[in-house]
Amino acid sequence: MNLRHLIAGEWVDGDGDEVFSLDPARRDRPVATYRTASEALLDRAATAAKGAQPDWSGQGLIRRGLMLRRAAELLADRTEDVARLMTREQGKTFSESRAEVGATVETLHYHAARARAADGVSYPSSHPDEVIRTVRRPLGVVAAITPWNFPLQIPAWKIAPALLWGNAVVWKPASDTVAVAVAFAEVLVEAGVPAGVLNLLLAPGSLGAALVAREEIAGVTFTGSVPVGRSIQATAVPRGAKVQMELGGHNAAIVLPDIDPAEAAAALVAGAMGSTGQKCTATRRIIAVGEAYDTLLPELERRVKALVVGDGMDDGVEIGPLVSPGARQEVEAAVEGAVTEGARVLARADCPVPDDSCHFPPTLLTGTPDLSICQEEVFGPVTTLLRAADLDDAIRIANGTRFGLTAAVFTCDERVVRRCLAELDAGLIKVNAPTTGSELHAPFGGLKDSSFPAPREQNGDSSAEFFTWTKTAYVRTGTPLGSRP
């Protein structure tokens, strides 16, 4: 499969290095090839977006919403093909890929429906012949820089509302999942996105930095690492561009002794190991309070050891490979470093896979909160079981990192729930459920280094706040010419 870039409504070849996208389950199986984009192509894409945006804004919300609805219908028809492509390129299991396509279809339908919701707010005026109301204006050109772990759903979170509110988009997806990005762009083009309104560039991170620096870019929506996010912030914010960022997490789940340990363990292992642990919301630390440690441990060990690792296209496989050899090396190094620092391996799943694959066995560790692996995000199927003396100690441990994306608490005590909701440093808190998973109509975002002080993602009102500027209009009744006596 030879991939091309989308610029000004045309699919064009790249002018940079040749790159191969390979199946992480078997690195001898190519998925796609393409030539990267240079800054010359970036210049064409940004210019096309700026030129196309005014007409797109003028088409109105309902017409733009109809385009998103058509895109949802087209993507739904291609569910099996896109899911298969996602598993081959990213590595997640076929059932996980199919679920992601379904969630993306829902996202498109949700934002399409927003087109018919009330637009703006009316306020009373002290003048009897005056109405005060707000109106929304699109930002203009938006840069969308998206990760590989959810190569369809996260772009839809960003691109669908950006287009709905009349913006043009220059999209740079992660290099590990470019084929899925092209498949999504093809759907949007076929659904009726005009030439220049959506532009897709396949390129390394250096082009993302150049994209953010361009004067045409009025807003940046980014999901990725903290260092890259802070670089984007330093570049875009001083010139007045809006910035929306989700920068990862080190999510903790607190388990109290009053909860059924088997029930809690099922949710904890799903939260830690699902999607091969390659979620910003994955459970990185399990904090067992008091005697919960001893009752929870055998349940966790049993479930981790029972996980089935393999090619995501094979029936019965629960854990696919990591996305790349580099990702596997990072996880291996983090676990080896943890053991060197004093951590112990409590349980590991069997990993009967080819040597050239990117698989890593799901691993349960135990240790202390000051371990590097308990402070820095490790993007893989690894979690650490920690002891806490009491609830105060558990909350202190949970809050003891620079991240604050999600958290969970497992308990039957409503008083404990209230304390955790008030005191945990997390933008999303789950009660008796995994740290992973969210509803697209609810705001999504974190605290501390997990985010940036800007409107949240997903939720329709939050999306409108980010992708538009609000104007306030004071409208008085005028007297028609010639009507005066």
Side-chain angles (χ1 to χ4, degrees), residues 27-284:
R27 297 290 291 172
D28 60 347
R29 295 191 298 207
V31 176
T33 183
Y34 65 99
R35 300 192 76 88
T36 60
S38 67
E39 289 203 32
L41 290 185
L42 168 58
D43 184 69
R44 288 172 56 186
T47 301
K50 185 176 181 180
Q53 189 273 327
D55 286 344
W56 176 240
S57 175
Q59 291 191 19
L61 269 171
I62 290 179
R63 186 168 180 179
R64 295 194 296 267
L66 291 173
M67 181 280 299
L68 292 178
R69 187 175 72 182
R70 176 60 178 152
E73 294 166 350
L74 291 170
L75 183 59
D77 290 342
R78 302 174 192 182
T79 295
E80 298 300 301
D81 289 341
V82 175
R84 190 173 296 107
L85 176 63
M86 189 183 302
T87 293
R88 289 188 60 214
E89 186 174 45
Q90 196 271 353
K92 63 180 64 182
T93 66
F94 187 56
S95 62
E96 289 170 335
S97 294
R98 191 189 286 118
E100 182 170 343
V101 177
T104 304
V105 170
E106 286 189 31
T107 298
L108 293 168
H109 275 304
Y110 172 71
H111 288 290
R114 291 285 303 179
R116 295 181 184 273
D119 178 22
V121 179
S122 294
Y123 299 91
S125 171
S126 58
H127 193 286
D129 291 326
E130 184 176 68
V131 174
I132 305 171
R133 65 173 183 261
T134 60
V135 293
R136 294 193 179 277
R137 186 191 77 181
L139 300 183
V141 180
V142 171
I145 303 175
T146 59
W148 48 259
N149 59 332
F150 286 90
L152 196 65
Q153 190 174 0
I154 290 179
W157 287 358
K158 301 173 183 297
I159 293 171
L163 294 177
L164 175 67
W165 289 105
N167 299 283
V169 176
V170 181
W171 175 23
K172 198 210 82 66
S175 299
D176 288 314
T177 49
V178 287
V180 175
V182 168
F184 187 39
E186 288 173 342
V187 165
L188 292 169
V189 169
E190 188 174 337
V193 174
V197 171
L198 175 66
N199 301 272
L200 172 66
L201 297 172
L202 314 178
S206 57
L207 197 75
L211 168 61
V212 170
R214 293 193 65 96
E215 291 296 323
E216 298 96 332
I217 302 302
V220 181
T221 176
F222 168 78
T223 298
S225 70
V226 173
V228 174
R230 296 306 176 215
S231 176
I232 289 172
Q233 175 185 345
T235 300
V237 171
R239 71 162 190 271
K242 280 190 174 183
V243 174
Q244 178 187 66
M245 298 190 294
E246 194 273 285
L247 304 177
H250 206 297
N251 314 297
I254 296 174
V255 184
L256 277 294
D258 63 340
I259 197 74
D260 181 338
E263 177 183 322
L268 292 165
V269 172
M273 307 301 179
S275 295
T276 319
Q278 297 176 127
K279 294 182 179 181
C280 296
T281 56
T283 307
R284 307 295 178 198

Side-chain angles (χ1 to χ4, degrees), residues 253 255 268 283-288 296 300 364 383-386:
V255 184
L268 292 165
T283 307
R284 307 295 178 198
R285 293 166 295 150
I286 301 169
I287 305 169
L296 189 62
L300 291 173
L364 174 66
T383 192
T384 304
L385 178 62
L386 303 170

